[in-house]
Amino acid sequence: MANILEPEKKIVASDSDDAVLEQLGYTQEFKRSFGLLGMVGFSFSIVTCWTALSGVLIIGVESGGPPIMIWGWVAVCICALAVAYSMAEMCSAYPVAGGQYSWVAILAPAKWARVFSYVCGWFMLIGILAMGAVNNFIAANFVLGTAQLNNPDYTIERWHTVLVAYMIAVVAAISNIFGPHLLNKISKGILVWNITAFLVCFITILATNDHKQPASFVFSKFQNSTGFSNSYTAILGLLQSAFGMCCYDAPAHMTEEIKNARKQAPRAIVMSVYIGAVTGFIFLISLSFCIGDIETTATTPTGVPVIEIFFNSTGSIAGASVLASLISVIAIVCANSLMAEGSRAVFAFARDHGLPFSRTLSKVSKSKQVPIYAVVFTALVQIAFNSIYFGTLTGFNTVISIATEGFYLSYAMPLLSRILAHVSGKKTELEGPYSLGRYGLALNVFGFFFLSFACITFNFPTVNPVDSENMNYTSAAIGVVMLISVVTWFTTGRKRFTGPDDGHLLDVGRGEVAGTPEAKIA
């Protein structure tokens, strides 16, 4: 039993991804088809900061305006790099589809490892699944917004948006089930499309707009439509940047399908942040110069301020439609990638008995090498989240906050685990090929404080005076997720939940599932 309390456990010195996975207690069930380029394309199709910022532009416009949007973006990207490098190091040492919650299980002090990992798994799943629904919503908005631009008499109704979001989720699910062999090729193709569309969009609006805003408006003129003080509003403005720079953990959940995952997955994590930071920065500046009248942009009948900016700049319905369609394609392919990431996360958590019906959700089709039930489950949850928009816009805005906060909380937990382990004396060595060396702990601490600040900010009300319609219900929603994780932990999780078999940290759960607790004790 002494091995359970072993203070340090090092990963096996092996270049074989399958060997590392086997040491962690898992069997390789997926085909390793992704290379570095394909995984960077896959990850950036999800991160794709410049289009994500476009989808939530109105937050930044009303909460500080262009100066907060631009300089806030720079600050958030610097902080995000600390988080990305930290996660890349963990991913290199432990390349398993569970990602964050698996790293927590290995790195946290043994006393808290299982329960902390379990809670992290729930936040991770909620974040990924909610983000899939948000992306479906954004994609639907771009499709319908383009239709409205071409047909001014058309009025977009809520149910139109929901039905289009449903369709996008269904198409993504079908693509994942019947075309998994195409995922790597699609990812490479969308990387080229993404960069090309970015260049076309920002060059076109800058070249065609003959009534640009002055530089003082873009870089220094503060805008405040929230009803709060300027300092509070500036903090709210960071929400747009926080949403835009998210989801860069995607390669971690695909590690069991990447060739040479210990090297390439970490690189994909960091590269997607760098590419996203540069493209997002340039696009924000371009939009700010071309934004036109803020009130007109914010209240556009298309429902998408960026489409109004495209039209205001080009003066052409056809031109604006082409630019909007470029982004629509990216958002639809992003839905496909988020469906893949979400299903792998569901599969991994179910494989460790973290969900109801885990045995079914963790099944992988031998012929297609896809977790079909996990894909279907992911699609159904996304559809359920999108259905909230039928009843209330405030409710769906809460889904957006849940998506972002779910990710950020799941990012913070492995960083906190590493910090706590260091303080408690359990200094687990991360001996993957992608190592931060002596800078690792410092980046962990810096990244954790940023994530903590962001998670607190996500709960702030965004409009004053606050009422039932504009109240930020994120704290209540996150409380519900926490309650679910705690209740399920005490009812089933503490008996059944397992995790990576490193240092026998999780023997209690694994032993009870297997019925042979002594089998895992050295």
Side-chain angles (χ1 to χ4, degrees):
M1 190 66 100
N3 284 350
I4 296 180
L5 303 177
E6 196 171 14
E8 182 175 320
K9 179 72 177 180
K10 298 182 180 181
I11 197 73
V12 64
S14 171
D15 291 329
S16 169
D17 294 315
D18 292 355
V20 174
L21 196 62
E22 183 178 355
Q23 186 200 2
L24 293 172
Y26 304 116
T27 302
Q28 178 66 35
E29 297 184 79
F30 297 101
K31 180 181 179 180
R32 294 188 181 274
S33 57
F34 277 98
L36 177 60
L37 184 62
M39 186 44 56
V40 170
F42 178 90
S43 182
F44 188 56
S45 73
I46 295 175
V47 176
T48 189
C49 299
W50 69 280
T51 59
L53 291 168
S54 303
V56 292
L57 183 68
I58 193 62
I59 296 175
V61 169
E62 296 178 344
S63 305
I68 295 300
M69 290 160 57
I70 294 170
W71 302 123
W73 178 250
V74 173
V76 167
C77 288
I78 291 173
C79 296
L81 277 172
V83 180
Y85 274 115
S86 298
M87 293 202 300
E89 183 181 39
M90 297 175 194
C91 183
S92 181
Y94 305 103
V96 60
Q100 298 96 295
Y101 84 84
S102 297
W103 305 333
V104 168
I106 297 169
L107 298 174
K111 180 179 178 180
W112 302 100
R114 291 183 66 237
V115 64
F116 204 34
S117 172
Y118 187 75
V119 172
C120 179
W122 271 101
F123 279 121
M124 176 194 76
L125 274 187
I126 291 296
I128 294 174
L129 298 177
M131 188 62 75
V134 172
N135 177 77
N136 296 344
F137 176 77
I138 291 174
N141 279 343
F142 269 95
V143 171
L144 293 175
T146 304
Q148 199 285 329
L149 181 66
N150 286 269
N151 301 276
D153 293 333
Y154 167 52
T155 301
I156 302 173
E157 303 288 349
R158 283 185 185 176
W159 65 272
H160 299 167
T161 306
V162 174
L163 291 182
V164 174
Y166 285 175
M167 181 187 70
I168 292 170
V170 170
V171 170
I174 292 173
S175 173
N176 269 265
I177 292 173
F178 296 101
H181 58 289
L182 299 175
L183 196 54
N184 183 46
K185 294 179 180 178
I186 292 173
S187 298
K188 290 179 181 178
I190 199 59
L191 178 61
V192 175
W193 180 282
N194 213 325
I195 299 300
T196 302
F198 160 72
L199 294 172
V200 169
C201 286
F202 94 83
I203 291 174
T204 299
I205 61 175
L206 289 178
T208 58
N209 191 305
D210 58 2
H211 48 283
K212 297 180 181 68
Q213 295 284 1
S216 59
F217 172 86
V218 174
F219 296 108
S220 61
K221 187 174 181 180
F222 194 88
Q223 306 284 335
N224 187 354
S225 303
T226 66
F228 290 109
S229 66
N230 286 349
S231 56
Y232 182 92
T233 299
I235 294 175
L236 291 180
L238 296 176
L239 291 176
Q240 180 202 22
S241 297
F243 176 84
M245 183 53 76
C246 194
C247 310
Y248 41 87
D249 61 316
H253 303 295
M254 304 298 291
T255 50
E256 296 176 35
E257 297 169 64
I258 304 175
K259 300 172 184 175
N260 198 7
R262 300 184 72 193
K263 291 183 179 179
Q264 307 303 11
R267 289 172 179 169
I269 290 173
V270 174
M271 287 176 67
S272 63
V273 174
Y274 274 111
I275 297 173
V278 173
T279 55
F281 181 70
I282 295 173
F283 199 58
L284 277 176
I285 293 177
S286 303
L287 291 178
S288 297
F289 272 111
C290 301
I291 200 169
D293 180 70
I294 291 183
E295 184 65 26
T296 302
T297 301
T299 59
T300 173
T302 65
V304 184
V306 171
I307 294 180
E308 178 63 29
I309 294 175
F310 288 163
F311 178 63
N312 175 61
S313 298
T314 62
S316 166
I317 292 178
S321 298
V322 169
L323 298 182
S325 296
L326 292 176
I327 296 180
S328 297
V329 171
I330 294 170
I332 291 171
V333 175
C334 178
N336 189 60
S337 300
L338 278 167
M339 186 68 67
E341 180 191 3
S343 63
R344 279 20 170 219
V346 169
F347 154 79
F349 204 45
R351 180 174 60 182
D352 288 327
H353 306 279
L355 292 171
F357 310 106
S358 285
R359 182 172 298 180
T360 299
L361 292 173
S362 61
K363 286 183 179 179
V364 177
S365 169
K366 293 183 179 180
S367 59
K368 299 182 182 301
Q369 291 186 302
V370 173
I372 294 177
Y373 293 106
V375 172
V376 173
F377 177 80
T378 300
L380 290 176
V381 174
Q382 288 181 3
I383 287 172
F385 275 131
N386 282 127
S387 299
I388 295 174
Y389 191 59
F390 270 132
T392 170
L393 174 60
T394 302
F396 191 75
N397 286 341
T398 300
V399 174
I400 297 175
S401 296
I402 291 173
T404 312
E405 182 148 2
F407 269 112
Y408 274 46
L409 284 170
S410 74
Y411 292 173
M413 288 183 179
L415 271 62
L416 178 60
S417 297
R418 187 91 194 277
I419 295 168
L420 291 177
H422 186 85
V423 172
S424 68
K426 180 199 169 188
K427 300 177 182 178
T428 305
E429 296 292 336
L430 298 181
E431 293 194 339
Y434 200 97
S435 175
L436 300 177
R438 65 174 183 260
Y439 301 106
L441 184 61
L443 288 173
N444 292 164
V445 173
F446 183 75
F448 175 73
F449 277 111
F450 158 67
L451 293 169
S452 300
F453 170 79
C455 288
I456 293 171
T457 304
F458 292 152
N459 296 278
F460 289 175
T462 57
V463 179
N464 189 36
V466 180
D467 57 36
S468 60
E469 285 297 314
N470 60 38
M471 177 62 186
N472 186 345
Y473 293 99
T474 303
S475 56
I478 292 300
V480 170
V481 176
M482 179 64 78
L483 180 63
I484 291 173
S485 65
V486 170
V487 170
T488 56
W489 169 258
F490 282 107
T491 55
T492 59
R494 66 192 178 99
K495 296 179 179 179
R496 296 183 55 80
F497 179 63
T498 61
D501 183 24
D502 184 75
H504 307 302
L505 292 173
L506 307 181
D507 273 343
V508 176
R510 189 180 294 277
E512 291 188 15
V513 171
T516 55
E518 71 280 6
K520 286 286 184 180
I521 306 300

